[in-house]
Amino acid sequence: MKLLDGKICAASLVSEISKKVTGYVASGLRKPHMTVILVGEHAPSESYVKSKIKSCESAGFESDLLRFSENVMEAELLARIAEINADPATDGVIVQLPLPKHINQQHIINAIDPEKDIDGFHPTNFGRMTLGQKAFRPATAYGICKLLQFYEIPVKAKHCVVIGRSNIVGKPISIMLSNDFEIGNATVTLAHIETPRELLLDETRRADIIVVAVGIPGFITEDMVKEGAVVIDVGINRLENGKLVGDVDFENVSKKCSWITPVPGGVGRMTVAALMINTLMAYQNNFDLI
Ligand code: NAD
């Protein structure tokens, strides 16, 4: 078994980005700029936002964090997003999810200018990505593709099983792996909570690549995986003892895999790296650099 190390891959991608930014700045351009919106005091969100800001520093980007109280009204957030949309000094904006229940998440996502939607969640970007057009691709799914590419894992013509159909992970990665993309052209099965257990087992046991994003510790067990499979664990679950684990029984499944992502240090790192790639793309679009 070999590790698909998100730390190594992300560091390499961010270093490449940083070199490009150094060149752009030397030619007289301003630095790329990411704005992060954080609502309330959700501990995991605090930690995700912190790593995004830190990664901006490594990439040579500027960033700002706009904090709102848990009780902020939807209208206030929408007004702030409209200002950011109109501000030429910001290339990309993310709204850290989840939002408090009184705020309609989709209203907020839909309000972001698609040209600044570096999370790739806006329907315009999701639609473009689905159609195989140039788009900001949803960051976690894009990060997984970049990780597979970095480790030269063959995807074309392989049988992939994606478990979980969220709009931010399962659905986009199932589309991206099946599309005629550089990392794609696989035959993909998308399983979810209504997939009968027997069918799920049939599928995972013959899968070349499994991507699991269900949020259940130990969901993928050794008996569900064929010898030599590649396993991508998207799950991030905090156990009662404080330990962070994924959706895979790593200890036992890793013995059967050819490649597997660790948690932490796998897909999470790649999500942040993909956000940096998207931000650079937004910046390059702004300055007609590509
Ligand atoms: P979600 O939490 O919105 O939904 C869970 C999905 O799992 C649903 O689509 C559901 O149909 C499916 N599911 C649940 N039980 C199932 C079962 N028994 N069999 C088959 N499918 C089942 O999904 P999400 O937002 O993609 O989050 C999933 C996990 O990924 C969470 O642990 C989350 O923290 C993590 N996550 C990690 C990253 C990262 O960067 N690593 C990014 C986003 C989410």
Side-chain angles (χ1 to χ4, degrees), residues 262-287:
V263 178
V267 175
R269 294 291 184 126
M270 295 308 302
T271 298
V272 181
L275 266 180
M276 300 301 130
I277 298 173
N278 281 347
T279 309
L280 184 71
M281 188 168 103
Y283 171 84
Q284 289 170 326
N285 289 343
N286 278 343
F287 289 98

Side-chain angles (χ1 to χ4, degrees), residues 149-213:
Q149 187 177 41
F150 185 79
Y151 284 98
E152 298 178 354
I153 308 294
V155 174
K156 185 176 175 178
K158 297 295 176 187
H159 174 216
C160 299
V161 175
V162 176
I163 313 163
R165 61 177 164 192
S166 71
N167 289 340
I168 61 169
V169 185
K171 210 175 285 170
I173 190 66
S174 71
I175 295 166
M176 287 162 70
L177 291 176
S178 58
N179 259 356
D180 184 7
F181 286 161
E182 199 180 351
I183 297 296
N185 289 296
T187 301
V188 179
T189 302
L190 178 60
H192 47 75
I193 196 156
E194 301 296 345
T195 304
R197 182 75 189 165
E198 279 312 308
L199 180 56
L200 179 69
L201 292 178
D202 279 353
E203 290 290 321
T204 60
R205 283 175 180 156
R206 58 195 178 90
D208 301 308
I209 302 174
I210 296 176
V211 180
V212 58

Side-chain angles (χ1 to χ4, degrees), residues 9 18 21 24 46 60 77 86 90 118 133 141 150 154 161-162 181 222 234 250 254 261 287:
C9 179
S18 154
V21 171
Y24 293 142
E46 288 280 352
L77 272 186
T90 290
I118 50 174
Q133 298 172 4
F150 185 79
V161 175
V162 176
F181 286 161
E222 192 188 353
V234 184
F250 185 90
S254 61
T261 56
F287 289 98

